Amino acid sequence: MAPSRVATVWRLCVLLPLLLFAFATTSSASNTALPDSQATNPPVYEPENQKVVHLPPAHLSSPTTTEASETWSSDAPTSTLSYSPVEANILHDLHSALSTMQDHYFAVWLGKYTSAIDWTAAVMSTYVSATLSTLSHSLSYTMPGTFDKDRKLDVEAQMVENEINKYFAQTTAYYFGEDHFAIRMQAFDDILWVVLGWLEASMFIESHSASHYTPKGWHASQFIPAFSHRARVFYELAEKGWDWRLCGGGMTWNPRLLPYKNAITNQLFISASISMYLHFPGDENCSPFLSQYDAAKPRREQLYGDCEGGSRGRYDPVYLANAVNGYAWLKGSGMLNDQGLYTDGFHIGGYRTNHSKTTCDERNEMVYTYNQGVVLSGLRGLWEATGQTSYLEDGHELVRNVIRATGWTNPSLRSTPSFSSHRSAKRDDKTPDQKEEMVFPNNWAGLGSNGILTELCDPTGYCSQNGQTFKGIFFHHLTAFCELLPARPARPGRTHAATREVAMLHANSCREYTAWVVHNGQAALRTRNEDGRFGSWWGVPFGTDPVKPLGQRSQAGSGMDAEMALPENATDYRNAFASGSNDYDDMYTDTESIASSTFSTSSSSSSSSNDFAGTASPKRKTHDLNDRGRGRTVETQGSGVSVVRAMWTFLRRAEGGDVDWSV
């Protein structure tokens, strides 16, 4: 037995080193095959398990400092989208952007975006719900019942579902952390952002539950009554802002100030009204504060007397009438400028001393990106509620005007698609030479240059929390506007379906915007720093030298500098813009002064200088223009989330991922 034992031990001694060597060789090969980032932190959304989109290879990697400067000055926008064999998982970029926003800026224990103001926090929460809806539709799966052994769920679906539940839990935390009592006393536009936010959350719950759960539904459905109640309460508060006496109708911005009928409040009222008509789940709680089913019911008759008239629900004709009247007034108000863009709004001349004056005759010529976006979701909803294709035509005309105002050159976008046989496509009467001059890519064209959507405050670094939020709002509502038209009515008699011709024309028209959306999404992605935080000025990639004045970066750039002044008769109420100054050279004298955010605010601006107080980045040497002013914030991150989501959605639709031509 002893020799046998010796032989056995000898064999083990020989085999053990061989096994260890084989294991080490296999591990080394597998680690070499994976990039370091994937080996240490595998992405939640693997490309092979998703609908992968293809991007031009030049935009897949962030340029160096030198390359970034050359790209900003000479990279003219393309007219068509080119695809390459290189595959990029945009869903991973979207997940990363959302994760960065929630991890860095949202305090779960408070239920708040701690550095946001009330209305921008409501917008950030809206982005979360919309992004979760996109992630929900990115993968087809059904959650099995607890005891359903016949249906198995793959690992990828479990990971996606876990992410959705994680961020939805943060949305519910925000519901309780939102300072809804304070917002009730603010301007009507602040109130309406709350309405849109909780309607978006309710829509996501209904969609996710129907797509991925058995008839018992998703647990989040229990929050729909609370979300819809808040939406209803705030909508009814906002309704008080409409009056027919001043300016022949329209919403007033703030009841505690002189009358100002501005674009954003009226567009919000249109979009909120039609969204209430199409998507409001109903509200059985008729009190703004208490539920009629609470155990304690003091003075029930006095508190709930208004319940006798019944509660509003989905497809209430009052909501539809409000949306129709709102857009009719906005369209006839004369708020569009010569470029077909919405200016900020109207004052009533002399109203301070003579309240008998009722005519809106002093137009503020300031142009913001979000004033061109919010109405788009309203127009899409108005078409579905009425079946009138003129709403779609107006929407596409506005989108094309915005794209042209960024300097994007594409001949196919010079006309508006005609959805009615008796209406010809709208074209401007400029000569070809005049058109080319109007959209020359390296000049400031009204809302940007080089095809990139830009606020006037972005290149100077003077954007407030308001201005840093605007571009994301535009892309959020553009994405909603370009949703495919339904082949069947959601509610026969209350909503409409599109004919095959109208559905195809709308989808093909939106497909023409894909290259421009991708161009902006890629520009935004290039502004991310090492922490994954987006910058505000998408037109300048990360690493651009701030010491060099704009006009010296490129020969073509000088034309933009000369035109980036406030328009005549314009007042920037939203940002601390240095009115009347065309010379930005003093902003680039040294890197330390760039990091400071001590700006002077125009005396005519209603934006408080406190918007910058306590938010400035500490003085530091930097070579990133997006570190100036307020720097990278939750608002710039939210805008990044919005444009990346738009990029994914438009590319998916362009590849036919969502197309259903069945009738």
Side-chain angles (χ1 to χ4, degrees), residues 72-113:
W72 180 86
S73 61
S74 61
D75 185 18
T78 58
S79 297
T80 58
L81 182 64
S82 59
Y83 296 97
S84 76
V86 180
E87 297 179 346
N89 189 355
I90 299 180
L91 275 180
H92 178 59
D93 287 328
L94 180 58
H95 162 76
S96 176
L98 177 64
S99 176
T100 300
M101 183 172 79
Q102 296 302 104
D103 292 347
H104 286 279
Y105 300 107
F106 186 75
V108 176
W109 69 283
L110 290 173
K112 289 181 178 294
Y113 294 94

Side-chain angles (χ1 to χ4, degrees), residues 135-258:
L135 298 181
S136 173
H137 288 93
S138 68
L139 195 65
S140 178
Y141 61 89
T142 301
M143 296 297 294
T146 305
F147 301 104
D148 189 353
K149 297 181 179 179
D150 296 331
R151 184 184 294 128
K152 294 183 179 180
L153 185 66
D154 61 75
V155 175
E156 184 73 9
Q158 288 178 328
M159 297 173 72
V160 173
E161 188 66 22
N162 183 62
E163 292 296 301
I164 289 174
N165 278 277
K166 171 186 175 181
Y167 293 119
F168 177 77
Q170 295 181 7
T171 299
T172 61
Y174 173 71
Y175 172 82
F176 294 103
E178 185 178 47
D179 195 354
H180 54 96
F181 280 102
I183 302 175
R184 294 169 195 253
M185 304 303 296
Q186 296 176 17
F188 290 121
D189 58 343
D190 300 312
I191 291 172
L192 287 165
W193 293 116
V194 176
V195 177
L196 290 179
W198 294 115
L199 287 176
E200 186 78 43
S202 298
M203 291 163 56
F204 160 64
I205 294 172
E206 291 179 344
S207 173
H208 187 67
S209 182
S211 299
H212 301 295
Y213 282 83
T214 58
K216 292 183 179 180
W218 186 31
H219 70 85
S221 300
Q222 64 187 315
F223 288 99
I224 289 180
F227 293 173
S228 61
H229 175 66
R230 183 164 295 177
R232 194 267 300 172
V233 168
F234 275 76
Y235 180 83
E236 291 179 355
L237 288 172
E239 276 183 309
K240 300 175 182 178
W242 180 276
D243 82 278
W244 291 101
R245 188 179 75 88
L246 300 178
C247 308
M251 288 283 293
T252 300
W253 172 41
N254 192 326
R256 288 164 288 279
L257 301 175
L258 290 174

Side-chain angles (χ1 to χ4, degrees), residues 21-45:
F21 175 79
F23 177 78
T25 304
T26 304
S27 300
S28 175
S30 63
N31 289 335
T32 304
L34 285 174
D36 293 340
S37 60
Q38 293 187 17
T40 58
N41 187 21
V44 173
Y45 307 104

Side-chain angles (χ1 to χ4, degrees), residues 597-620:
S597 63
T598 304
F599 301 119
S600 60
T601 307
S602 172
S603 60
S604 61
S605 173
S606 64
S607 297
S608 171
S609 59
N610 291 333
D611 197 23
F612 289 92
T615 60
S617 303
K619 287 190 176 183
R620 60 195 181 281

Side-chain angles (χ1 to χ4, degrees), residues 253 260 262-263 342-347 362-368 370-371 455-457 466 470 565-580 601-607:
W253 172 41
Y260 187 48
N262 63 341
Y342 280 100
T343 56
D344 194 56
F346 277 104
H347 293 283
E362 292 184 358
R363 192 172 78 178
N364 180 6
E365 299 294 332
M366 192 66 199
V367 176
Y368 301 107
Y370 78 151
N371 280 344
E455 293 296 335
L456 194 60
C457 61
N466 299 302
F470 291 166
L566 283 176
E568 186 178 359
N569 298 321
T571 302
D572 189 353
Y573 289 124
R574 308 302 181 188
N575 305 287
F577 191 88
S579 301
T601 307
S602 172
S603 60
S604 61
S605 173
S606 64
S607 297

Side-chain angles (χ1 to χ4, degrees), residues 393-410:
E393 290 186 7
D394 290 350
H396 283 290
E397 183 177 10
L398 179 58
V399 173
R400 281 163 159 73
N401 291 340
V402 170
I403 294 176
R404 284 193 291 266
T406 65
W408 183 260
T409 56
N410 189 334

